[in-house]
Amino acid sequence: AQRVTQPEKLLSVFKGAPVELKCNYSYSGSPELFWYVQYSRQRLQLLLRHISRESIKGFTADLNKGETSFHLKKPFAQEEDSAMYYCALRIQGGKLIFGQGTELSVKP
Amino acid sequence: ETGVTQTPRHLVMGMTNKKSLKCEQHLGHNAMYWYKQSAKKPLELMFVYSLEERVENNSVPSRFSPECPNSSHLFLHLHTLQPEDSALYLCASSPDPYQPQHFGDGTRLSIL
């Protein structure tokens, strides 16, 4: 069955510390992975997608098919990074399957 | 307002009422979606429309009835809802089902 797992509901770090939000997926086909972010009082928006292989707001994510993971990383967290982060898997037909989300809290 | 717009932002209704949620996008997208976000659960895809045709119905109860009259508008008609249907309902759109989705702010629905 297709599934996206984000094991951490809440991740709290201090400003300037490295941050890694974990995402694991289960899918027998060719996966396409995304990270979406929702800042306080804002709508859910796309942060990055694995096929772009780009860095957005200092965040990167590498698809590891061997470990079926797509962890989101940033070397130095900023207070404005505090938000809900959702990992999503696109499967055949364009359907998106979301993880449960991880709340990132960056403390000053 | 650009992007995806949802109305109303909040809705409180009784179990016997009939109401509709509205979603509108002027991004020129051809695919539109309804999601349900309940507390402590992942976003659940409910319906997908592509070029105004329903292409996905994710085993949603018949008390939820979608309508896509044109590529810019999507409705979710509600009737005889249950308390467990209380949730945030999100609308999204994308150029096609294989492109990243743009989300609205959602409608917070409470069933009394």
Side-chain angles (χ1 to χ4, degrees):
Chain A
Q2 304 97 350
R3 186 171 59 248
V4 175
T5 304
Q6 292 179 250
E8 302 137 331
K9 287 187 178 180
L10 172 65
L11 185 61
S12 186
V13 301
F14 286 101
K15 176 183 174 181
V19 62
E20 181 181 52
L21 289 85
K22 291 184 168 50
C23 172
N24 288 90
Y25 67 91
S26 174
Y27 181 48
S28 58
S30 182
E32 187 176 357
L33 277 298
F34 302 81
W35 277 99
Y36 280 81
V37 61
Q38 187 168 27
Y39 300 102
S40 179
R41 298 188 180 137
Q42 294 187 32
R43 59 186 60 182
L44 193 63
Q45 58 187 288
L46 179 68
L47 179 63
L48 53 78
R49 56 195 299 195
H50 90 268
I51 62 173
S52 300
R53 302 184 67 82
E54 57 192 346
S55 174
I56 304 293
K57 299 184 179 182
F59 284 97
T60 60
D62 291 318
L63 177 61
N64 186 323
K65 291 186 178 181
E67 296 183 358
T68 60
S69 68
F70 189 57
H71 303 326
L72 184 67
K73 301 176 184 179
K74 184 169 182 176
F76 308 104
Q78 303 299 312
E79 289 181 69
E80 55 266 30
D81 295 328
S82 296
M84 280 294 296
Y85 290 81
Y86 295 92
C87 183
L89 164 70
R90 174 145 57 217
I91 62 175
Q92 185 180 1
K95 180 180 174 179
L96 271 184
I97 297 176
F98 284 85
Q100 208 150 348
T102 297
E103 180 182 357
L104 175 63
S105 174
V106 182
K107 301 184 186 307
Chain B
E1 174 73 43
T2 58
V4 181
T5 304
Q6 290 186 243
T7 53
R9 293 293 302 274
H10 301 273
L11 178 61
V12 180
M13 56 187 286
M15 288 192 285
T16 58
N17 291 155
K18 289 184 180 181
K19 296 285 183 182
S20 296
L21 310 184
K22 180 181 177 182
C23 176
E24 187 172 356
Q25 59 90 9
H26 296 289
L27 299 169
H29 291 171
N30 291 315
M32 297 187 78
Y33 313 79
W34 279 116
Y35 287 89
K36 176 184 179 182
Q37 187 174 28
S38 304
K40 301 179 182 179
K41 294 177 72 174
L43 272 80
E44 302 171 64
L45 179 66
M46 300 176 71
F47 300 103
V48 180
Y49 276 82
S50 180
L51 296 171
E52 302 150 44
E53 286 193 24
R54 191 189 307 180
V55 296
E56 178 85 31
N57 177 357
N58 228 23
S59 301
V60 179
S62 59
R63 56 185 183 269
F64 295 92
S65 174
E67 178 190 2
C68 188
N70 55 64
S71 59
S72 299
H73 295 86
L74 184 65
F75 295 90
L76 188 62
H77 303 300
L78 317 170
H79 67 97
T80 326
L81 294 194
Q82 304 299 309
E84 61 266 26
D85 296 324
S86 297
L88 180 68
Y89 289 83
L90 289 169
C91 176
S93 72
S94 62
D96 62 57
Y98 296 92
Q99 296 297 320
Q101 296 172 20
H102 297 245
F103 284 82
D105 288 321
T107 294
R108 176 72 61 185
L109 177 66
S110 298
I111 306 301
L112 301 178

